[in-house]
Each structure stands twice: as structure tokens, then as C-alpha cells.
Amino acid sequence: MKKIQLTLIQIDNYGPWTVTPRPKREADIQILQAKLFADLEHQFAVRGGLVFSTRFDNMLAISNGISLDEHRAIQESIHVRYPVTVSMSIGAAEAPYEAQKLAAQALQRAGSSRSAERRGILAGRGLGARDEDWVQIVHMDVDRISTMTDEKPIYDTHELLQHVCLALMKAMSRYKALVFYTGGDNFMAPSNGLSEEKLRLIMDEVERALGIKLKAGVGCGKTAGESAHLASEGLHEIRKCQAKGPIVFKTS
Ligand SMILES: Nc1nc2c(ncn2[C@@H]2O[C@H](COP(=O)(O)OP(=O)(O)OP(=O)(O)O)[C@@H](O)[C@H]2O)c(=O)[nH]1
Ligand SMILES: [Mg+2]
């Protein structure tokens, strides 16, 4: 059975930490979160993974091919260099929504996000057999966002992109796929099992609701790195008018 493996990364006892002994400066909190995300992205990426910033205090990584020992090594590296610790939990399932749910449940069983006792936990269960690894990622982008960027106030573009993200999240959730905003006019969706036909329906729905046009490269492979790269290549082909339509599927 082909499965996606997701890792929930949660900063331990972070809420209390941000206000102890008194509220820390927001700029310092933003710097810590941005650095921690960049650091984790690097450490997962060199092992074939991909981290989405999600809430920054809680991040989700596609971690197919990354073992428990490698997760522990990443945690140890973070713990010697940051004033906070991170707990991680792993879930694997055919559908991305189910994988993150299993990961979240495993971490919740190990203790609260606000517990001072729960530090640097590694919980949950990843894939046992590596031949089960499967990652499908849709990389979507809005057509001609630069025109709006050059003509409208920047906050108007920002607001539109947040609406696009929410509409995609809602539509994709019907197929147990996840959607993450990755900056600019880009969205990435771990979406194992989502067919081209269903993706077309989702894109049509969001396009009609928000008056925009979308295009999508879809990559399928054994690791997030591989799939994301194929997806971005697919998108590039559409941009260069090398594709017949607004969706290109690529499998490794
Ligand atoms: N995260 C991410 N951001 C990108 C990528 N490519 C472009 N961007 C960002 O998205 C913004 C818009 O780029 P484009 O999508 O090429 O611009 P556009 O005017 O919408 O052009 P078309 O999509 O080709 O119609 C850029 O300013 C970048 O910030 C990518 O692969 N990943
Ligand atoms: Mg674009």
C-alpha cells in the first residue's frame, strides 16, 4: 500500500516560553521562528524531505525516506543551538489528511503543547517498508499575478492570495489533501490519490469563485524532494507553453 509519511514538528511549551518571565519582543519571536523554519527546512531537505511553515510554532514536513534515527539527529542539532526544544511525531497513511491526523494524535498522547515536562519527544509510527513510500505534490500558481502586483496596492494582492489559499484548502479537503502557501502566488498540496479530473474540478471551482486562473504541476515520486521538483518542472512547462492545458502530471 502506497503511503505518504508526515512529521508534525511542534515547539515545546512555546506559549508559556513567549511570555516568561514577561512577554518577549515580537520581533525576537519572529526571528526565532523564521530561523528555526529555515534550519528545519534545510535539515529535512538534505534527507529528501520538505517542511511547510504551517503555523511556525507547528510545522508539517513530508518525511518519506527519513528514519526515526534521522529525526532524532535533527532534534539534537536543534536542541544544542536554540533556546527551545521541538517534539516530533510521525504518521503515515494513504491520504495526507489521515497521515497528519495520526501524527497529531501520537503527539497529543505524549503530552500537551503547553507542558513543561514534555520536551523533545519523538512519537508516532512511520512507514515500516520503504517500498510503500509515495508522495504526490501539486504545485499551483496564479496566472499573471505580476500584473496585479504592479498595478494594485500590495495588500489587495496579499488578501486575494489568502482567499485563494483558503478556497483551495476547503476544496482539497474533500479529497483529504492538504494545501500550504509557499510565498509569492504559489501553493503546494500534498495530495496522494487526487486524480487529474478531480484536480481540474477543484481548480475550476476556485477560479470561478475568485475570478482568477490557476495552473498546476503535479509530481509523484518516493520522496518529497523528488515530487516537488517534478511538480515545479511541470509548472515551468505550462508557463513556457509546452503543455496542452493548465495541468501537467509527472511521475518519476
Ligand atoms: N515559492 C515559490 N515562489 C515562486 C516560484 N516561482 C515564482 N515565485 C513567486 O511568485 C511570484 C509570481 O511569479 P510568477 O507566477 O512567475 O508571475 P506571474 O505574473 O503570475 O506569471 P505567470 O504565473 O507565468 O502567469 C514571484 O514574484 C515569486 O515571488 C516558485 O517556484 N516557488
Ligand atoms: Mg503566477
Side-chain angles (χ1 to χ4, degrees), residues 139-150 161 181-188 213-215 232 235 238-240:
H139 184 175
M140 276 167 292
D141 134 303
V142 180
D143 283 353
R144 297 173 56 77
I145 200 73
S146 305
T147 307
M148 193 175 177
T149 308
D150 292 340
L161 289 165
Y181 177 57
T182 52
D185 63 347
N186 292 253
F187 305 92
M188 280 198 155
K213 283 282 176 202
L214 293 163
K215 50 189 166 309
S232 304
L235 200 54
I238 303 168
R239 265 211 195 90
K240 289 199 298 179

Side-chain angles (χ1 to χ4, degrees), residues 83-157:
V84 292
T85 60
V86 291
S87 283
M88 295 188 187
S89 64
I90 308 172
E94 285 179 79
Y97 184 84
E98 295 303 327
Q100 64 80 33
K101 188 172 159 186
L102 290 171
Q105 286 171 341
L107 195 51
Q108 285 157 0
R109 277 196 296 272
S112 168
S113 58
R114 293 176 73 85
S115 158
E117 280 78 53
R118 199 206 71 188
R119 291 166 59 85
I121 290 284
L122 181 57
R125 284 182 51 193
L127 279 173
R130 289 271 73 105
D131 59 357
E132 289 184 335
D133 283 304
W134 196 245
V135 181
Q136 176 176 314
I137 296 178
V138 183
H139 184 175
M140 276 167 292
D141 134 303
V142 180
D143 283 353
R144 297 173 56 77
I145 200 73
S146 305
T147 307
M148 193 175 177
T149 308
D150 292 340
E151 292 175 357
K152 294 264 176 67
I154 193 58
Y155 197 81
D156 295 19
T157 321

Side-chain angles (χ1 to χ4, degrees), residues 144-214:
R144 297 173 56 77
I145 200 73
S146 305
T147 307
M148 193 175 177
T149 308
D150 292 340
E151 292 175 357
K152 294 264 176 67
I154 193 58
Y155 197 81
D156 295 19
T157 321
H158 173 60
E159 189 184 339
L160 172 69
L161 289 165
Q162 298 307 305
H163 280 295
V164 174
C165 189
L166 198 56
L168 285 170
M169 286 169 86
K170 279 187 178 158
M172 288 271 191
S173 72
R174 293 201 287 272
Y175 304 102
K176 295 186 179 289
L178 313 175
V179 179
F180 299 96
Y181 177 57
T182 52
D185 63 347
N186 292 253
F187 305 92
M188 280 198 155
S191 51
N192 286 28
L194 183 71
S195 67
E196 181 166 349
E197 186 194 3
K198 294 287 190 305
L199 177 59
R200 168 78 66 160
L201 289 175
I202 289 167
M203 286 165 64
D204 282 351
E205 179 184 323
V206 174
E207 286 174 351
R208 266 187 276 113
L210 293 167
I212 50 145
K213 283 282 176 202
L214 293 163

